[in-house]
Amino acid sequence: VDKPFIAENTCFYRFATGALTTVLFGVVVASLLDIPIGVVALGGAVIAAAIASLFRWTTLRQVSGSVSWQLLPLVVGLFLVVRGVENAGFDILAQRAFLAAAPGDGFLQILAIAFGTALGSNLINNVPMTIVTINDLSPLLANGSLNETAAYAALIGTNVGPNLTVVGSLATLIWLGIIRGRGLVLTARDYLVVGLITTPAILVMASFGLWLSVRLFEL
């Protein structure tokens, strides 16, 4: 089979769906067992690529060509951004902002953290923002200055908020690289238009859901 990729192959799609489901399940189990999820994800990808190549659904060369290698330097750069913002004193400012925005677990406090971390994710990307958030919240949670609700609100902000812009999420950058390689062009403006409609609304609803869960749990 010399076709570059057999899009019509039902067996391939069934296999891909099963492989992806297995890897996702493995990631969950690995996180519970304190096993690095990167090892599970990489191992699953290698096995899936090998099996697909064995059945000639694709080739290792085609798999390698579909990887966005140009984003690897960006990933390294994102971790450098973390060090940069911390050395610039951003971590101290972030801690003060967390303390000022969320002295309690009310809806407005949850909303403030969710939108604050969402804004940060779109400014410096969600990967460094998540790392900065973890580093800044950990001592505040440990000394009792904030409770776990703040951590959940930050989780909402760094996961939902990045959908506002194309630079907010590393996953979005990878996805854009893939679809552009297949001839589909999506501009940053087009993405922003959809993001402005959906992201704030989802942030509000998710924050409300967290607030409601806290209230119900307390009851």
Side-chain angles (χ1 to χ4, degrees):
V1 181
D2 296 326
K3 293 181 180 181
F5 191 81
I6 307 179
E8 309 80 38
N9 197 317
T10 304
C11 292
F12 170 78
Y13 279 110
R14 289 176 178 174
F15 164 74
T17 301
L20 181 59
T21 302
T22 303
V23 170
L24 290 176
F25 178 76
V27 167
V28 174
V29 174
S31 62
L32 295 176
L33 299 177
D34 291 328
I35 300 174
I37 61 175
V39 175
V40 177
L42 179 60
V46 171
I47 294 174
I51 294 176
S53 178
L54 180 65
F55 282 94
R56 302 183 69 185
W57 289 325
T58 186
T59 66
L60 295 181
R61 181 178 180 180
Q62 291 161 5
V63 172
S64 176
S66 65
V67 176
S68 302
W69 299 107
Q70 69 275 14
L71 289 179
L72 293 182
L74 173 63
V75 175
V76 176
L78 292 177
F79 288 97
L80 295 178
V81 169
V82 173
R83 290 301 179 189
V85 296
E86 288 180 343
N87 292 338
F90 180 81
D91 54 337
I92 303 299
L93 293 176
Q95 287 186 3
R96 292 176 179 174
F98 282 132
L99 288 172
D105 55 6
F107 176 64
L108 293 181
Q109 285 75 26
I110 293 174
L111 203 62
I113 286 189
F115 271 87
T117 50
L119 177 61
S121 296
N122 285 282
L123 291 177
I124 64 173
N125 191 267
N126 70 326
V127 172
M129 187 62 197
T130 299
I131 298 175
V132 170
T133 299
I134 292 174
N135 293 340
D136 293 340
L137 281 180
S138 295
L140 299 178
L141 294 174
N143 62 26
S145 299
L146 295 178
N147 57 34
E148 292 184 351
T149 304
Y152 291 125
L155 190 63
I156 292 174
T158 54
N159 281 270
V160 177
N163 293 313
L164 180 63
T165 65
V166 294
V167 298
S169 171
L170 177 60
T172 300
L173 294 174
I174 296 175
W175 169 73
L176 284 175
I178 292 175
I179 65 170
R180 286 174 178 173
R182 285 162 172 71
L184 179 61
V185 178
L186 178 65
T187 66
R189 181 181 179 277
D190 293 335
Y191 192 95
L192 179 61
V193 169
V194 177
L196 286 173
I197 297 173
T198 59
T199 303
I202 297 175
L203 278 173
V204 172
M205 289 186 292
S207 298
F208 177 77
L210 174 59
W211 172 80
L212 184 61
S213 299
V214 172
R215 300 279 81 74
L216 292 176
F217 181 77
E218 288 180 348
L219 294 176

